[in-house]
């Protein structure tokens, strides 16, 4: 057989805008992570569509997306996803979690998730990356010394929950002034990112408008987010390479 096979576990309903312009969030992730010769499939876990036990054998790894739901909630599909994560981890499949995906990975592995004390974090945030050295809590390096780690990166964020406590045996890969665990890894097969390396500014602007329409954020806050976004750009290429390097086993 040919190339590797990956799955996207979709944890949110696509907005009409993202569907039309980007082919849905599945299209956004494929655009960021897919390389020639690979097969990519989608499972709408938010709608109860999960890979079965015989299917998961076929995959090298899965991406877990963002969501409007709380990762600390107990919806039926969320409980089912927690079980799937533990099964995939026991098989040492690669798992990359983004935003909600980052939080649900942390929860499945024994970490603690909840509302962020500092409220919403929406916009472009600077995250600081751990240096490639041994940490006291783990014998594995956060980044291998061969990987050229920038000291900081700018990433698009949109969350009101966060990982409050790391799972056992996990290490912090990055933090910000607002969030203590911006990135983490667990073993060599699991990585979570609180921010959205897959987002464009355009996607975030439309998301801000949707949050405003649903009265989840105030008009003043939305204006402030948009004004601040004009001032800087996310490091999308560096974040993309970091995600690909981990997800394809090169990190």
């Amino acid at each position: 057989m040919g190339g590797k096979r990956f799955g996207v576990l979709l944890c949110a309903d696509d907005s009409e805008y993202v569907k039309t312009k980007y082919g849905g969030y599945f299209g956004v992730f494929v655009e960021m992570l897919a390389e020639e010769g690979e097969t990519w499939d989608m499972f709408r876990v938010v709608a109860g569509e999960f890979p079965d036990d015989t299917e998961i054998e076929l995959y090298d790894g899965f991406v877990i997306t963002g969501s409007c739901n709380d990762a600390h909630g107990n919806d039926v599909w969320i409980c089912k996803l927690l079980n799937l994560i533990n099964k995939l981890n026991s098989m040492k499949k690669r798992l990359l979690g983004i935003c909600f995906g980052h939080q649900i990975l942390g929860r499945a592995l024994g970490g603690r998730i909840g509302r962020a004390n500092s409220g919403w974090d929406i916009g472009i945030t600077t995250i600081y990356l751990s240096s490639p050295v041994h940490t006291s809590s783990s014998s594995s390096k956060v980044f291998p010394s061969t990987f050229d780690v920038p000291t900081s990166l700018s990433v698009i964020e949109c969350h009101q929950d966060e990982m409050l406590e790391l799972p056992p045996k996990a290490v912090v890969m990055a933090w910000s002034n607002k969030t203590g665990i911006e990135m983490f890894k667990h073993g060599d097969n699991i990585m979570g990112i609180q921010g959205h390396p897959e987002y464009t500014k355009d996607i975030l602007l439309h998301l801000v408008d949707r949050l405003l329409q649903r009265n989840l954020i105030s008009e003043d806050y939305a204006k402030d987010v948009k004004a601040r976004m004009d001032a800087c750009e996310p490091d999308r290429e560096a974040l993309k390479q970091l995600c690909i390097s981990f997800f394809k086993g090169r990190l």
Side-chain angles (χ1 to χ4, degrees):
M1 286 292 288
K4 294 191 170 188
R5 187 172 198 141
F6 299 103
V8 174
L9 303 177
L10 195 67
C11 302
D13 293 318
D14 290 322
S15 68
E16 282 306 315
Y17 181 82
V18 172
K19 225 187 282 188
T20 305
K21 186 162 182 185
Y22 297 94
Y25 289 115
F26 175 69
V28 174
F29 276 102
V30 169
E31 170 67 28
M32 177 173 79
L33 296 171
E35 295 176 300
E36 205 173 329
E38 296 170 352
T39 302
W40 282 75
D41 299 313
M42 174 176 68
F43 297 92
R44 290 174 45 79
V45 294
V46 69
E49 183 188 297
F50 283 77
D52 62 36
D53 287 355
T54 54
E55 281 180 299
I56 58 179
E57 292 279 357
L58 307 171
Y59 290 87
D60 295 279
F62 291 88
V63 180
I64 307 171
T65 74
S67 180
C68 298
N69 293 69
D70 296 331
H72 48 86
N74 289 311
D75 310 54
V76 172
W77 72 270
I78 289 177
C79 293
K80 203 170 171 183
L81 181 56
L82 289 166
N83 289 334
L84 176 61
I85 289 167
N86 286 318
K87 190 177 288 181
L88 292 168
N89 184 33
S90 71
M91 299 166 76
K92 294 296 172 212
K93 299 290 186 184
R94 293 255 158 194
L95 294 171
L96 173 64
I98 305 296
C99 197
F100 168 92
H102 158 87
Q103 295 164 13
I104 202 81
L105 281 174
R107 179 181 172 187
L109 296 165
R112 192 165 66 86
I113 313 303
R115 284 280 186 265
N117 297 324
S118 53
W120 279 99
D121 184 8
I122 306 177
I124 299 172
T125 298
T126 301
I127 63 171
Y128 303 95
L129 284 82
S130 304
S131 61
V133 293
H134 288 276
T135 62
S136 57
S137 61
S138 171
S139 59
S140 67
K141 292 184 177 183
V142 179
F143 294 98
S145 48
T146 50
F147 193 78
D148 187 17
V149 185
T151 52
S152 65
L153 287 169
S154 295
V155 62
I156 290 175
E157 306 250 6
C158 186
H159 63 103
Q160 62 174 339
D161 293 342
E162 65 175 299
M163 194 184 302
L164 301 167
E165 284 176 21
L166 268 182
K169 299 180 184 169
V171 291
V172 176
M173 297 173 75
W175 68 94
S176 69
N177 292 335
K178 197 158 176 144
T179 305
I181 306 167
E182 286 280 1
M183 289 177 64
F184 84 101
K185 68 179 278 198
H186 185 275
D188 292 325
N189 63 309
I190 291 179
M191 183 168 89
I193 302 178
Q194 180 57 71
H196 285 276
E198 81 284 11
Y199 274 10
T200 58
K201 279 169 128 179
D202 173 59
I203 289 174
L204 183 62
L205 284 169
H206 278 82
L207 195 49
V208 168
D209 288 339
R210 284 173 71 201
L211 291 169
L212 186 57
Q213 283 163 10
R214 291 161 63 189
N215 293 317
L216 291 171
I217 57 174
S218 69
E219 200 153 320
D220 285 347
Y221 184 68
K223 276 182 187 166
D224 180 52
V225 167
K226 290 177 180 182
R228 283 187 288 114
M229 273 174 63
D230 285 341
C232 58
E233 290 295 325
D235 293 312
R236 292 190 72 219
E237 189 54 37
L239 287 159
K240 169 182 170 171
Q241 293 310 322
L242 178 58
C243 289
I244 287 174
S245 296
F246 168 79
F247 198 49
K248 311 292 173 73
R250 300 172 201 154
L251 185 59

